[in-house]
């Protein structure tokens, strides 16, 4: 990449638990294996944090330099950020899996008709939804300017990060009912 990539949000730090700097960790990633002792993350305030320990069963994390409840409290509500390069190194995809950043900016196409462009992905419950900015031609037909499409096999036929196209079925029906 010629330009510096945007940071990727992978978790948010929650409330302190106990007396020794442990904090609740709310993971926003499908790759909990990246949270290991010694791994560093940045926060939105440019604070570098090194993981001291992570208990995946309890969802608790602690950081070097924040070993007391009082010192760890300043980290509450911070977001843990990583780089695109670190994500590619640390997270192993299965066949036909893509990262969210691979889907962002893709055209959504159904039987030759472009429905729009993926502008965002939101996780609601356990399902990821593509937020799609509707194509101008469809907006001119008085359809919604944006709509949600679940990223599940029922709707997504294929996605190609090289061509930046996601082929879907029944997406137009969801758009018409939005």
């Amino acid at each position: 990449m010629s330009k510096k990539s945007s940071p990727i949000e992978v978790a948010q730090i929650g409330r302190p638990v106990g007396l020794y700097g442990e904090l609740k960790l709310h993971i926003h990633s499908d790759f909990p294996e990246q949270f290991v002792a010694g791994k560093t993350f940045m926060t939105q305030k440019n604070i570098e944090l090194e993981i001291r320990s992570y208990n995946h069963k309890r969802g608790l994390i602690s950081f070097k330099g924040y070993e007391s409840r009082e010192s760890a409290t300043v980290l509450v509500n911070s977001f843990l950020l990583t780089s695109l390069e670190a994500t590619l190194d640390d997270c192993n995809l299965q066949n036909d899996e893509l990262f969210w950043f691979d889907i962002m900016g893709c055209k959504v196409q159904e039987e030759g008709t472009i429905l729009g462009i993926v502008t965002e992905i939101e996780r609601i419950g356990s399902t990821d939804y593509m937020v799609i900015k509707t194509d101008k031609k469809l907006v001119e037909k008085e359809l919604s300017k944006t709509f949600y499409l679940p990223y599940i096999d029922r709707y997504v036929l294929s996605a190609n990060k090289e061509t930046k196209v996601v082929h879907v079925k029944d997406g137009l029906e969801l758009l018409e009912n939005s």
Side-chain angles (χ1 to χ4, degrees), residues 50-68:
E50 182 179 342
I51 297 176
R52 183 169 55 116
S53 68
Y54 174 61
N55 181 327
H56 69 89
K57 288 182 180 177
R58 295 182 60 211
L60 298 178
I61 195 164
S62 64
F63 299 97
K64 289 186 179 175
Y66 298 88
E67 285 90 9
S68 70

Side-chain angles (χ1 to χ4, degrees), residues 1 3-5 8 82-90 101:
M1 291 184 112
K3 62 180 184 175
K4 189 176 178 192
S5 61
I8 299 167
T82 190
S83 68
L84 174 84
E85 296 78 13
T87 298
L88 293 172
D89 287 343
D90 297 341
F101 54 77

Side-chain angles (χ1 to χ4, degrees), residues 33-92:
E33 64 270 13
Q34 67 187 310
F35 301 100
V36 295
K39 174 80 189 241
T40 60
F41 292 93
M42 295 299 290
T43 70
Q44 75 275 22
K45 294 180 181 176
N46 257 355
I47 299 169
E48 185 176 63
L49 298 174
E50 182 179 342
I51 297 176
R52 183 169 55 116
S53 68
Y54 174 61
N55 181 327
H56 69 89
K57 288 182 180 177
R58 295 182 60 211
L60 298 178
I61 195 164
S62 64
F63 299 97
K64 289 186 179 175
Y66 298 88
E67 285 90 9
S68 70
R69 182 180 182 94
E70 293 76 24
S71 64
T73 300
V74 301
L75 300 175
V76 171
N77 291 326
S78 294
F79 291 96
L80 295 183
L81 309 171
T82 190
S83 68
L84 174 84
E85 296 78 13
T87 298
L88 293 172
D89 287 343
D90 297 341
C91 304
N92 297 315

Side-chain angles (χ1 to χ4, degrees), residues 128-142:
D128 296 333
Y129 289 83
M130 295 181 289
V131 180
I132 301 168
K133 180 180 177 189
T134 307
D135 187 72
K136 211 182 296 186
K137 292 177 185 175
L138 296 174
V139 172
E140 289 170 358
K141 293 181 181 180
E142 298 186 11

